[in-house]
Amino acid sequence: MPDPRNVIILGSGPAGLTAAIYSARANLAPLVLEGELSSTSDQPGGQLMLTTEVENFPGFVDGIQGPELMANFRAQAARFGTEFVQERATRVDMSSRPFKVWTGDPSAPEPSYTAHAVIVATGARSLMLDIEAERRLLGHGLSTCATCDGFFFRGHEIAVVGGGDSAIEEAIFLTKFADRVTIVHRRGELRASKIMQERAFKNDKITFLWHHTVDDLVGEKSLEGAVVRDVRTGETHVLPVTGLFVAIGHRPNSDLFTDLLDMDEAGYLKTVPGRSLTNVVGVFACGDVQDHTYRQAITAAGSGCMAAIDAERWLEAVGDAPETINETPTEW
């Protein structure tokens, strides 16, 4: 069995890399499993690798490209001694310390790595429309975050796909910038709460395209329109929009921890309020895998800082504690 590391960090988005920076500066020599390029759910760098201009991350007056921002995060963590491997965890054993992590074949008899503490920063992914053009146009008119990208659509005509609270909230927010917002929904009524529906119906900038889905996107380098289909008749037409926001939900990358860590009904990991502690002592969670409210790079980074500090203090408190720990130390 490999010698245990002080801390293994699963994920390399803003949360994971911030946790790495703090852990490395605390001389914990963290190991980051940063994901695989072939993976759509936990690729190295997280969702910001699919983002173009980032203008709301503090410290960058003129904005910064998402991949460049994550490259800076990674370089800063490496500067202090973080070790990176471009692998994804396929199995974990959290029943005793040191914790065991497999990459590659999950049925292998021996784990790939072991660690005294684990920080889970596997993030979440936006549910998409499963259209081939999405990959090409994401960040070029297609977005999953109104808070992040709404500013770029000042004076545009745009559409929001979805009918829940998230979709309506995004549509209302986008009316601050866009000339017209069309909500495309496959049903004839919204799933959003009554108060959100009332706000949308009263907003003069919002129109509704009922019983429609988005079948394709128009444009090579930037979005020029959305091909929408009437689910009742099958007829299609092009909706002339230059911005399309997909708001049909998010899915946390937490499947690996089913029956191991406590989750809510949507799969987000549960942590102690105001802390990064999970129900397994020595395992900490940060970023979008445990945040279904904000889902911003800056909040993910902040929670990564919290997780690293929690892990450092816990490791210092337990010292040479027995391998199996059933309760949190009283002083740390």
Side-chain angles (χ1 to χ4, degrees), residues 90-111:
T90 56
R91 176 187 164 197
V92 291
D93 181 349
M94 297 176 172
S95 60
S96 64
R97 287 180 60 212
F99 302 117
K100 303 173 184 65
V101 180
W102 281 258
T103 62
D105 184 2
S107 63
E110 292 291 329

Side-chain angles (χ1 to χ4, degrees), residues 72-204:
N72 289 347
F73 271 54
R74 191 182 190 279
Q76 188 172 359
R79 173 192 170 198
F80 295 112
T82 299
E83 180 182 352
F84 293 90
V85 291
Q86 203 167 94
E87 299 173 356
R88 58 185 289 268
T90 56
R91 176 187 164 197
V92 291
D93 181 349
M94 297 176 172
S95 60
S96 64
R97 287 180 60 212
F99 302 117
K100 303 173 184 65
V101 180
W102 281 258
T103 62
D105 184 2
S107 63
E110 292 291 329
S112 307
Y113 307 97
T114 64
H116 296 301
V118 172
I119 295 176
V120 179
T122 48
R125 60 189 182 277
S126 299
L127 298 179
M128 301 299 287
L129 302 172
D130 197 24
I131 297 173
E132 185 178 353
E134 284 180 321
R135 186 87 179 180
R136 181 179 76 249
L137 293 174
L138 189 61
H140 300 280
L142 178 66
S143 175
T144 60
C145 179
T147 306
C148 309
D149 299 330
F151 177 81
F152 300 112
F153 294 90
R154 189 177 297 276
H156 289 231
E157 291 198 8
I158 62 179
V160 174
V161 182
D165 277 343
S166 294
I168 304 307
E169 183 178 351
E170 297 228 324
I172 293 172
F173 176 81
L174 289 165
T175 59
K176 298 178 181 179
F177 310 102
D179 283 350
R180 174 71 57 184
V181 178
T182 301
I183 295 176
V184 181
H185 189 40
R186 61 182 177 177
R187 298 186 176 93
E189 58 183 11
L190 299 172
R191 293 179 290 106
S193 59
K194 293 299 182 184
I195 188 170
M196 293 300 294
Q197 292 190 40
E198 290 174 3
R199 291 173 182 172
F201 292 142
K202 290 179 180 178
N203 194 310
D204 293 336

